[in-house]
Amino acid sequence: MSLTPTQLDLISKELIQGGIKYQDLYEELLDHYILAIEDRQAQGQTFESAFGEVHADFVNYKRPARVWDHYGVWKDYTNGGAPEFGIGKLQAEYEENLKGEISKRHWQIMKSYFRWPTLVTTLLVGLFTFQFAYLVPKQYFVWIIFTCAFVPVLLLLPQLILDSRLYFLKKRKFVNSLKISTITGRMFLSLSLFSLFINITNMSNILFEYNLHKQNFVTVSACLTCFYLAYSLSFYQLYSERFKVSLR
Amino acid sequence: MYICDMQQQTYLKGCLSAIVLQLLQDNSRMYGYEITQRVREITAGELQLTEGALYPTLHKLEAEGVLTTENALVDGRNRKYYKLTESGQQQAQSAVSELADFVTNLQKILNLKPSLS
């Protein structure tokens, strides 16, 4: 027995009220609710009874025991606004797990560039970059570093544009998906480091009237270029390895 | 139909990963609700995976890279399927093997008599 639009709308509202804010998790839970309720209805249950059963298990996920405080009032201690139980807690744990694993995997990939035998390639690239730094004018090096810092943005941009378009066409409830949101965090790290580099250079010029000696600039530029090359390659590897979302 | 009590739910939580990995090893891909139904079918209703236990396990395994996901459009909505990665295949075998060893050792401790059949 298929659910009516009103019933589907009720399920959707309960998920959103429960704290769901990512499209991929929303779709997964919605699909589960619909299948579970339809199965129960096929066995003779009413929609309300079936929905109550399915919903109760998600809502009671990690629900803590209520505490009798000093004044004899039952109280649930909150965690600074973070969900303590239910669908929101499920989402928060998923987000935390995914962010942790992405971060761990990203640094594993970065470290692999400094292990044998990839270390040989890394050293050759470093040497080539250092030699190249003498020949290329300073302003072009800043553009090279800027391009490398923005490679992660370019990788994610098509998916972000498509998701935003579908959201504004009301074909999605949320702009963000959890996977894209978590890998975007790694992208912002790259941009933050680039911003830090620009600010440190400007501040040293303004505050200390210190212009980097040509030799020092070559060394710094070569090191930064190598770092950003490694970061961009590692980001691409991370993205295509586990978190690539197909354009649809 | 036997309804799982709280103790059995506790035991079930401890081996949920192994159950999920074994099911996905036997089937190329499955979605969340399908996994709960498959467990109920295999155990004739004796074991019921609760959604609050299953999805955190699936998400954790996905985050660790043991499972990968793919979407398919079914009845006008997106359905998320889970399947084992290459490393997940190896992990599935070792997880199931470890659980089997654990059950064997548990039987020795509890001195459970084998059923006559």
Side-chain angles (χ1 to χ4, degrees):
Chain A
M1 178 190 281
S2 294
L3 300 180
T4 64
T6 311
Q7 291 168 338
L8 290 171
D9 194 50
L10 170 69
I11 298 169
S12 174
K13 281 186 176 140
E14 285 294 337
L15 286 175
I16 295 168
Q17 275 182 352
I20 297 298
K21 54 183 182 177
Y22 296 112
Q23 182 67 19
D24 44 1
L25 187 56
Y26 167 80
E27 285 173 350
E28 184 177 24
L29 295 180
L30 182 70
D31 186 47
H32 183 101
Y33 267 77
I34 292 170
L35 287 169
I37 291 170
E38 283 177 349
D39 263 2
R40 284 165 169 79
Q41 282 187 304
Q43 288 163 18
Q45 278 188 294
T46 61
F47 170 78
E48 290 73 21
S49 165
F51 176 77
E53 271 184 23
V54 176
H55 193 52
D57 192 57
F58 279 111
V59 167
N60 289 328
Y61 173 65
K62 286 198 174 174
R63 181 189 282 273
R66 296 171 74 192
V67 178
W68 182 268
D69 75 356
H70 180 71
Y71 298 103
V73 177
W74 289 107
K75 196 171 177 180
D76 289 325
Y77 288 97
T78 57
N79 186 21
E84 288 261 306
F85 59 91
I87 295 173
K89 178 74 175 171
L90 194 148
Q91 177 178 257
E93 284 182 349
Y94 188 9
E95 197 173 355
E96 196 183 320
N97 276 337
L98 205 54
K99 278 184 179 161
E101 291 300 325
I102 285 179
S103 177
K104 204 169 26 168
R105 182 60 193 140
H106 195 187
W107 290 120
Q108 270 176 357
I109 294 171
M110 286 283 280
K111 281 193 286 188
S112 72
Y113 295 155
F114 298 94
R115 290 206 174 110
W116 183 264
T118 322
L119 180 62
V120 175
T121 315
T122 307
L123 289 173
L124 284 172
V125 168
L127 198 65
F128 174 76
T129 313
F130 189 78
Q131 294 299 320
F132 195 63
Y134 279 108
L135 305 170
V136 175
K138 189 164 69 174
Q139 59 268 28
Y140 291 128
F141 244 105
V142 175
W143 277 107
I144 290 170
I145 295 169
F146 177 81
T147 306
C148 289
F150 272 81
V151 161
V153 177
L154 295 174
L155 277 176
L156 292 176
L157 204 54
Q159 187 66 48
L160 291 171
I161 291 172
L162 183 66
D163 289 348
S164 302
R165 183 173 169 271
L166 290 173
Y167 173 75
F168 287 114
L169 289 174
K170 298 199 187 306
K171 291 184 180 177
R172 279 171 74 98
K173 281 281 184 199
F174 305 97
V175 176
N176 287 335
S177 71
L178 183 53
K179 281 189 177 176
I180 295 295
S181 177
T182 45
I183 202 168
T184 303
R186 309 306 299 169
M187 174 187 84
F188 283 129
L189 177 64
S190 163
L191 297 175
S192 302
L193 289 171
F194 177 75
S195 172
L196 189 67
F197 159 66
I198 294 295
N199 286 330
I200 286 175
T201 311
N202 288 339
M203 289 305 288
S204 69
N205 285 341
I206 292 166
L207 288 180
F208 308 111
E209 295 183 350
Y210 173 71
N211 290 316
L212 292 174
H213 188 273
K214 189 173 167 32
Q215 177 66 40
N216 283 347
F217 179 79
V218 166
T219 310
V220 168
S221 299
C223 290
L224 280 172
T225 306
C226 280
F227 170 76
Y228 274 107
L229 270 173
Y231 194 91
S232 301
L233 274 170
S234 66
F235 186 92
Y236 174 74
Q237 196 176 332
L238 178 71
Y239 177 74
S240 58
E241 193 178 84
R242 284 171 55 187
F243 303 101
K244 191 170 184 181
V245 180
S246 57
L247 294 178
R248 54 183 169 80
Chain B
M1 184 171 69
Y2 180 71
I3 307 296
C4 294
D5 58 13
M6 289 305 294
Q7 272 297 58
Q8 194 162 64
Q9 284 295 329
T10 309
Y11 304 144
L12 195 56
K13 272 184 191 169
C15 48
L16 199 44
S17 293
I19 291 172
V20 168
L21 292 173
Q22 178 63 41
L23 284 174
L24 287 171
Q25 202 170 32
D26 295 340
N27 302 275
S28 61
R29 63 174 198 177
M30 297 177 84
Y31 52 95
Y33 187 67
E34 190 182 7
I35 293 173
T36 65
Q37 293 302 95
R38 189 85 183 105
V39 167
R40 189 184 295 196
E41 190 187 308
I42 292 171
T43 62
E46 291 285 330
L47 288 184
Q48 293 185 28
L49 290 187
T50 58
E51 290 83 356
L54 173 66
Y55 280 102
T57 303
L58 286 173
H59 295 158
K60 186 167 172 293
L61 290 171
E62 184 198 353
E64 289 169 358
V66 177
L67 302 180
T68 186
T69 60
E70 56 187 46
N71 289 328
L73 201 62
V74 177
D75 292 338
R77 58 180 189 269
N78 273 321
R79 178 161 296 161
K80 188 176 179 182
Y81 287 87
Y82 292 88
K83 51 197 275 190
L84 290 171
T85 57
E86 276 181 33
S87 65
Q89 294 279 356
Q90 294 161 3
Q91 205 157 329
Q93 285 166 1
S94 65
V96 171
S97 163
E98 278 173 23
L99 186 60
D101 290 342
F102 178 75
V103 169
T104 307
N105 289 324
L106 203 60
Q107 280 182 324
K108 289 177 190 170
I109 294 168
L110 297 176
N111 199 24
L112 292 170
K113 293 188 175 60
S115 59
L116 297 170
S117 57

